[in-house]
Amino acid sequence: MSQKIIVTGGCGYIGSHTVVTLISNNYDVVIIDNLSNSNKKTLERITKITGTSPHFEHIDLKNPEQTKSVFKKHNDAVAVIHFAAYKAVAESVEKPLMYYRNNLLSLINTLEFQIEEGISNFIFSSSATVYGAPETLPITEENKVQRPFSPYGNTKKIAEEVLEDLVKTSSNLAAISLRYFNPIGAHKSGFLGELPNGIPNNLMPYITQTAAGIRKELQVFGNDYPTKDGTPVRDYIHVVDLAEAHLKALQRLLNKEQDKPLEVYNLGTGNGYSVLEIIKSFERTTNTTLNYKIVDRRPGDVETLYADTSLAEKKLNWKAKRDIDDMIASSWKWEENLKNEQ
Ligand code: WQD
């Protein structure tokens, strides 16, 4: 019989791709989502790709009664992958309480009721933002964790601290925290991808929406950084590679292979690309010309971030396989499909 996995935030960007990977690997998936920043249509998209409809629980993890009852109902699950969270950096600066309330209460309720039901495995959706402005590159898991610039980022740091404390006392809990670098790309079918609410904050959806004519012009935030061409460098990673890393982390937990109750892994490719390099690759890969202009720096941006991925390679037996052209081409295919749907 298939093992049951609870995926919170399974209708979101990274969650939905992970659900597809899990179903394709014969897991029985229960999605918990309040659809606050996602869409029920994603369930149909997942079904279209996999031929299987995941179970869906439309509840809010901030609500302890609802959370308790859903975990009771699915107490035959063997693991929880927790994606459910708000993720817009600028919005979190404007509304810190909303971010702390949502991201931390949903984490606490999830952990409390999964432990109560004896579900001992937990995977957390963390972020490279916990490294702040790194002192050394590439970033290993040994790099110093620093107070992130935004409340959003700080919820990730605090969540990891909650896990550190919890594994000391909850002897059954086994957790893996995955620190993503910059996820982009979409499922190769073009049926699943990122659906930003309103004006995108992140580079890739802004690029695809500009090329699609939804936005007039892309603003490049600063070209006076001490990098190869003056624009900031990031480690962009294909969302399907990320999804596959969750599968590997899950297998490590289920096979009881961890070296310690809480493990932390960087998920990136190890390659850094500048904003201008991404724009040029986009233009080349999609044969389009992008309307962009250089403007002032965006407050809080770090000059260069890229991962040392050797720990994930060694312990999870995982390495990102998809290159930047694949990331860009799939993002564009998704954007074009969305346009045709309307
Ligand atoms: C990348 C580069 C921008 C938009 C953020 C979060 C992080 C993670 C991923 C999210 C930067 C530049 C962007 C634009 C631009 N979590 N840019 N014009 O800031 O590295 O990371 O998203 O859930 O925690 O902080 O990603 O895509 O916003 O920016 O020039 O319109 O693109 O300045 O150099 P970032 P990003």
Side-chain angles (χ1 to χ4, degrees):
M1 226 184 63
S2 305
Q3 289 175 302
K4 188 185 270 189
I5 313 296
I6 294 174
V7 180
T8 76
C11 288
Y13 175 41
I14 305 171
S16 60
H17 287 84
T18 302
V19 168
V20 166
T21 298
L22 292 173
I23 293 175
S24 309
N25 283 273
N26 298 318
Y27 288 96
D28 184 15
V29 175
V30 179
I31 293 177
I32 299 178
D33 206 305
N34 67 357
L35 302 178
S36 63
N37 190 22
S38 58
N39 197 313
K40 214 173 167 183
K41 211 168 166 205
T42 302
L43 296 171
E44 290 163 33
R45 300 179 190 279
I46 291 170
T47 308
K48 193 165 167 180
I49 293 172
T50 63
T52 304
S53 317
H55 310 272
F56 178 55
E57 299 288 356
H58 186 184
I59 62 145
D60 192 328
L61 292 165
K62 289 197 290 303
N63 180 314
E65 288 80 29
Q66 289 180 357
T67 309
K68 185 180 170 82
S69 99
V70 164
F71 276 87
K72 203 173 190 58
K73 179 172 165 193
H74 296 289
N75 64 8
D76 53 338
V78 294
V80 176
I81 308 182
H82 183 57
F83 292 102
Y86 292 155
K87 60 168 188 177
V89 172
E91 184 184 50
S92 79
V93 174
E94 294 296 314
K95 300 174 182 166
L97 282 183
M98 184 173 119
Y99 270 68
Y100 287 115
R101 181 183 298 117
N102 186 66
N103 292 6
L104 297 177
L105 282 185
S106 59
L107 170 82
I108 289 165
N109 288 334
T110 298
L111 286 167
E112 174 153 13
F113 297 113
Q114 81 166 87
I115 290 170
E116 197 169 287
E117 295 301 334
I119 306 168
S120 56
N121 298 305
F122 183 81
I123 296 176
F124 181 62
S125 182
S126 188
S127 167
T129 190
V130 302
Y131 296 113
E135 281 158 17
T136 52
L137 290 164
I139 301 172
T140 76
E141 292 78 357
E142 301 300 315
N143 267 64
K144 198 163 79 196
V145 167
Q146 307 192 67
R147 166 75 160 85
F149 167 76
S150 70
Y152 153 75
N154 205 31
T155 65
K156 297 294 179 191
K157 177 171 176 285
I158 295 170
E160 289 196 352
E161 290 166 355
V162 169
L163 289 172
E164 275 166 31
D165 289 340
L166 194 60
V167 292
K168 288 183 198 150
T169 55
S170 300
S171 52
N172 282 332
L173 188 69
I176 292 182
S177 182
L178 300 174
R179 294 176 177 163
Y180 316 148
F181 279 67
N182 286 58
I184 61 170
H187 191 266
K188 63 176 188 295
S189 62
F191 298 144
L192 203 59
E194 187 171 8
L195 257 185
N197 219 344
I199 302 173
N201 301 296
N202 298 115
L203 180 63
M204 189 47 68
Y206 213 105
I207 288 178
T208 56
Q209 289 197 6
T210 306
I214 304 168
R215 311 280 154 212
K216 226 176 85 229
E217 170 184 78
L218 169 75
Q219 298 190 326
V220 173
F221 299 132
N223 67 347
D224 56 352
Y225 288 90
T227 58
K228 42 192 157 188
D229 58 25
T231 61
V233 169
R234 294 289 180 272
D235 186 339
Y236 297 92
I237 173 161
H238 199 300
V239 67
V240 177
D241 277 322
L242 270 193
E244 290 172 1
H246 289 75
L247 174 68
K248 296 287 191 169
L250 175 69
Q251 290 166 342
R252 183 167 171 87
L253 288 171
L254 296 178
N255 296 335
K256 301 199 178 306
E257 288 166 348
Q258 314 109 267
D259 299 326
K260 48 189 179 185
L262 171 62
E263 291 182 340
V264 172
Y265 295 101
N266 286 342
L267 298 182
T269 64
N271 303 315
Y273 288 93
S274 74
V275 175
L276 288 178
E277 283 176 327
I278 295 292
I279 293 174
K280 297 219 175 76
S281 298
F282 182 85
E283 291 183 326
R284 185 174 33 79
T285 312
T286 63
N287 211 8
T288 51
T289 308
L290 205 61
N291 189 23
Y292 71 90
K293 106 168 162 217
I294 312 283
V295 300
D296 286 348
R297 289 182 178 198
R298 182 172 70 176
D301 274 345
V302 172
E303 140 205 343
T304 302
L305 287 177
Y306 58 92
D308 180 321
T309 61
S310 47
L311 191 68
E313 234 174 276
K314 190 166 146 213
K315 300 283 183 178
L316 299 179
N317 188 25
W318 168 88
K319 195 173 168 28
K321 290 187 269 205
R322 295 159 181 87
D323 65 14
I324 197 74
D325 288 354
D326 190 347
M327 297 181 217
I328 288 170
S330 59
S331 296
W332 182 232
K333 185 172 180 186
W334 162 244
E335 185 70 57
E336 284 190 302
N337 270 4
L338 273 182
K339 204 166 148 189
N340 295 336
E341 273 182 16
Q342 266 130 40

